[in-house]
Amino acid sequence: MSNESQLKVENVSKSYATAADSLRVLDGVSLDLTAGESLAIVGPSGSGKSTLLHILGTLDHPDQGSVHIDGQDPFQLSPKQLAAFRNEHIGFVFQDHHLLPQLTVIENVLIPALAHGKPKSESFVRAEHLLHSVGLSDRIGHLPSELSGGERERVAIARALVMQPSLILADEPTGNLDRRTADAVTELLLSLQSESGVILIAVTHSETLAAALQQRRELQDGRLL
Ligand code: ADP
Ligand code: MG
């Protein structure tokens, strides 16, 4: 599946209405990535990085331009189809990781698999394997509150990969971590990415993370340089 991973973004623009007029946040952004490729998006605060990531994650739609993921235009889908598409094709790793506090580590990793009904036994096997890969085999029954920040981020990475998505979107994945932990999480994310052939796009202020990805583009005034 991942061998066919493809992301094509053409001329995407997005504006927000403000009291005075409209604010153009993205201005003709284009991108073309295939399986195994990785891209760091850098840029000052307010330059539109999160807006772009939300559009790529199909959580928000562009005003103009098009997005194709694995050959499909997700914005042509019905809301229900879109939710299923997002769940199958896209994994999210956000800075504040959004783990559910009442669920154990393995239950959190299985959340995306739950959207399809009861998780299949192969989902459990895959979740266990991923938790092993991120070094948390002995923590699968723990609650998020019993983990460190770096460990929680590793749970979020395992959760993002459990559905074998084509695309992983990370918004400041190491932003809340100390330097050493951040480096370890970066290394882990990249080794899992190269193993699985998933496309990785990370928004980051970290030069270490940006340098570790294959490509680096800067967002400035809504344009991707
Ligand atoms: P970044 O992630 O690069 O810091 P964002 O994509 O979050 O930037 O925001 C880009 C600009 O769009 C900012 O000026 C922000 O205030 C504005 N913005 C973001 N979301 C909205 C919204 N829902 N309504 C109005 N303005 C928004
Ligand atoms: Mg942001």
Side-chain angles (χ1 to χ4, degrees):
M1 205 187 340
S2 293
N3 291 334
E4 297 153 31
S5 300
Q6 200 186 14
L7 172 71
K8 210 174 178 70
V9 179
E10 286 174 300
N11 231 1
V12 159
S13 295
K14 177 83 182 174
S15 300
Y16 289 116
T18 61
D21 55 344
S22 97
L23 173 73
R24 178 162 276 220
V25 179
L26 297 175
D27 186 10
V29 169
S30 297
L31 278 176
D32 202 341
L33 295 169
T34 57
E37 294 190 312
S38 59
L39 168 69
I41 296 178
V42 299
S45 179
S47 57
K49 303 183 298 296
S50 294
T51 303
L52 176 59
L53 225 55
H54 280 119
I55 290 174
L56 301 182
T58 74
L59 298 165
D60 198 359
H61 60 88
D63 298 334
Q64 284 168 43
S66 66
V67 175
H68 285 85
I69 298 168
D70 301 338
Q72 168 91 252
D73 178 352
F75 300 110
Q76 300 294 326
L77 300 172
S78 71
K80 201 176 160 191
Q81 289 171 323
L82 178 60
F85 179 86
R86 185 187 300 132
N87 189 56
E88 275 169 37
H89 293 256
I90 308 170
F92 296 92
V93 184
F94 286 161
Q95 185 177 345
D96 36 9
H97 50 67
H98 302 301
L99 299 182
L100 295 181
Q102 71 277 29
L103 298 186
T104 63
V105 162
I106 192 155
E107 286 167 347
N108 266 286
V109 172
L110 283 165
I111 288 173
L114 282 168
H116 286 286
K118 199 169 172 291
K120 300 193 190 85
S121 60
E122 65 217 54
S123 301
F124 278 100
V125 171
R126 189 165 161 77
E128 277 178 348
H129 173 75
L130 283 164
L131 284 168
H132 176 74
S133 304
V134 300
L136 292 174
S137 281
D138 53 349
R139 311 301 292 271
I140 64 173
H142 287 223
L143 294 172
S145 59
E146 298 166 331
L147 304 180
S148 70
E151 287 166 343
R152 283 182 214 154
E153 203 60 37
R154 287 189 268 152
V155 177
I157 290 169
R159 181 186 54 188
L161 283 160
V162 78
M163 298 298 288
Q164 302 187 270
S166 300
L167 174 63
I168 291 212
L169 300 172
D171 200 348
E172 290 286 358
T174 58
N176 283 336
L177 306 176
D178 64 73
R179 177 71 188 272
R180 246 184 77 199
T181 310
D183 288 351
V185 167
T186 297
E187 203 173 301
L188 187 65
L189 184 59
L190 289 175
S191 82
L192 289 171
Q193 187 238 343
S194 70
E195 224 171 81
S196 63
V198 68
I199 297 169
L200 170 66
I201 299 183
V203 160
T204 186
H205 284 113
S206 155
E207 277 309 322
T208 318
L209 177 57
L213 302 197
Q214 293 166 346
Q215 302 177 39
R216 178 191 203 277
R217 308 272 305 267
E218 185 171 349
L219 252 187
Q220 220 178 69
D221 300 325
R223 302 189 71 93
L224 207 50
L225 310 178

